[in-house]
């Protein structure tokens, strides 16, 4: 689907879900802040719980109960301060955890087919939203993949853009079995030629002026982009500046080589584990900044696998389009 009405229907369908997610996240963050402040207050003086216990103590002793007297007796329950502090901190951490879940959790499955949504114009170029499996693409002459600093391609049987482009470029028999892994062979030969096998810089790109068997999908060139660094202790390093360099370099290389269409994934999604809103914002800002200053025309396809990520992508592009 590529018409404007289809895009509008999609945005309307996911607008309510999007707003609910954002509201839920905002409430959870507010609660986390409240309990964090309550924990700090526990260290500043008698807590409310101590004052209540002081009032109860006075009541059961048959003495006159007032705020001043309860506050004075609260000092007998100082053992409650550390208990209250760690309780408030624990509750705050729980709310932070669920706020992060609300921000980055994925609720929809990977889309295996292909849908292309309306183009947003920036300068002389257009940006299209691509939803689904990159294996079905026929619109882009250049495909950009997202790699980590080892520049080891994704599994040829995996769901990543890297793995699926690797399979597109491979020679397979009638049974679907890989006979020649062209892209993997190219990368291994390239590493041997440059004398470097690991720890490539974030933002580094390898522009390959052939697509091997992926030419059957009208692909003519492949760019490998180092977008994330996996940390030994877990998690990834993701640098905004590196993404800007990747996108700027990939588009300029494509144009300089005479190509007029390019596919870019939203960097950081998938195995990168970057929250959708941040990953989408960085990719969209970088693409729009390049296209606004580029006189030559190119069709850019920004790809995601999930419908909820597509909603974030469309909202970000619409926001950028409104800043002309």
């Amino acid at each position: 689907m590529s018409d404007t009405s289809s895009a509008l229907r999609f945005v309307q369908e996911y607008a309510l879900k999007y707003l609910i997610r954002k509201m839920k996240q905002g409430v959870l963050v507010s609660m986390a802040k409240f309990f964090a402040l309550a924990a700090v207050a526990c260290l500043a003086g008698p807590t409310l719980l101590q004052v209540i216990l002081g009032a109860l103590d006075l009541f059961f002793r048959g003495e006159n109960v007032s705020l001043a007297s309860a506050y004075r007796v609260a000092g007998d329950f100082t053992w409650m301060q550390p208990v209250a502090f760690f309780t408030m901190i624990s509750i705050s951490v729980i709310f932070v955890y669920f706020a992060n879940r609300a921000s980055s959790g994925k609720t929809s499955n990977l889309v295996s087919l292909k849908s292309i949504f309306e183009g947003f114009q920036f300068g002389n170029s257009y940006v299209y939203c691509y939803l689904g499996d990159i294996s079905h693409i026929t619109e882009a002459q250049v495909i950009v993949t997202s790699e980590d600093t080892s520049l080891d391609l994704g599994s040829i049987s995996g769901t990543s853009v890297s793995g699926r482009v690797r399979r597109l470029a491979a020679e397979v028999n009638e049974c679907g079995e890989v006979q020649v892994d062209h892209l993997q062979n190219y990368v291994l030969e390239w590493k041997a030629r440059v004398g470097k096998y690991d720890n490539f810089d974030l933002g580094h790109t390898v522009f390959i002026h052939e697509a091997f068997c992926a030419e059957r999908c009208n692909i003519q060139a492949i760019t490998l982009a180092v977008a994330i660094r996996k940390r030994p202790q877990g998690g990834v390093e993701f640098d905004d500046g590196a993404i800007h360099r990747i996108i700027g370099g990939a588009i300029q290389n494509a144009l300089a080589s005479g190509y007029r269409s390019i596919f870019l994934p939203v960097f950081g999604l998938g195995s990168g584990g970057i929250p959708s809103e941040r990953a989408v914002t960085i990719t969209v800002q970088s693409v729009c900044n390049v296209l606004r200053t580029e006189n030559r025309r190119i069709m850019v396809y920004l790809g995601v696998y999930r419908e909820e990520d597509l909603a974030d992508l469309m909202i970000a592009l619409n926001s950028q389009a409104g800043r002309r």
Side-chain angles (χ1 to χ4, degrees), residues 64-320:
N64 182 43
V65 179
S66 67
L67 181 60
S69 61
Y71 192 85
R72 173 176 50 78
V73 177
D76 297 335
F77 298 92
T78 53
W79 57 271
M80 285 297 301
Q81 281 184 273
V83 173
F85 172 79
F86 286 111
T87 300
M88 296 299 107
I89 282 293
S90 298
I91 295 174
S92 178
V93 169
I94 291 171
F95 277 111
V96 168
Y97 170 77
F98 284 108
N100 287 332
R101 285 282 300 273
S103 171
S104 60
K106 301 298 182 183
T107 59
S108 61
N109 296 324
L110 297 178
V111 175
S112 58
L113 299 178
K114 175 183 80 172
S115 296
I116 298 176
F117 293 82
E118 68 163 319
F120 295 81
Q121 185 173 3
F122 298 97
N124 294 323
S125 300
Y126 285 84
V127 179
Y128 297 88
C129 299
Y130 183 104
L131 171 67
D133 187 348
I134 189 65
S135 303
H136 303 300
I137 195 166
T138 56
E139 293 78 10
Q141 295 171 296
V142 181
I143 301 290
V144 181
T145 70
S146 178
E147 312 292 343
D148 63 29
T149 51
S150 69
L151 256 179
D152 292 333
L153 301 177
S155 170
I156 201 166
S157 60
T159 59
S160 67
V161 171
S162 175
R164 288 185 169 171
V165 171
R166 177 181 173 184
R167 185 172 183 84
L168 282 178
E171 183 179 332
V172 298
N173 62 20
E174 294 180 357
C175 299
E177 299 168 333
V178 175
Q179 301 298 296
V180 184
D181 193 349
H182 289 297
L183 193 55
Q184 174 75 343
N185 293 341
Y186 181 95
V187 171
L188 294 175
E189 292 171 4
W190 178 83
K191 287 181 176 180
R193 188 167 66 250
V194 300
K196 187 176 176 67
Y197 297 89
D198 199 353
N199 198 31
F200 293 91
D201 293 336
L202 288 173
H204 184 81
T205 54
V206 180
F207 195 80
I208 305 172
H209 292 271
E210 58 181 318
F212 310 104
C213 294
E215 290 179 353
R216 62 178 176 268
C217 298
N218 299 323
I219 300 168
Q220 298 178 40
I222 298 169
T223 298
L224 309 178
V226 180
I228 61 172
R229 173 179 285 112
K230 293 181 179 178
R231 297 192 178 102
Q233 67 273 24
V236 299
E237 179 182 343
F238 186 74
D239 180 68
D240 296 9
I243 303 304
H244 293 319
R245 293 193 298 275
I246 287 170
I247 291 174
I251 292 176
Q252 294 302 326
N253 276 330
L255 287 168
S257 301
Y259 301 124
R260 291 296 178 263
S261 58
I262 186 171
F263 172 90
L264 291 159
V266 173
F267 294 100
L269 293 179
S271 61
I274 305 301
S276 176
E277 187 175 3
R278 182 188 174 200
V280 166
T281 298
I282 294 168
T283 298
V284 167
Q285 285 180 348
S286 299
V287 169
C288 295
N289 288 343
V290 173
L291 298 183
R292 285 188 176 114
T293 59
E294 177 55 61
N295 293 324
R296 292 168 292 184
R297 183 177 181 180
I298 189 169
M299 303 293 103
V300 178
Y301 296 86
L302 289 181
V304 294
Y305 276 125
R306 289 183 171 87
E307 291 179 337
E308 62 193 271
D309 294 332
L310 177 62
D312 285 338
L313 180 58
M314 284 187 161
I315 289 168
L317 282 169
N318 188 62
S319 175
Q320 287 288 328

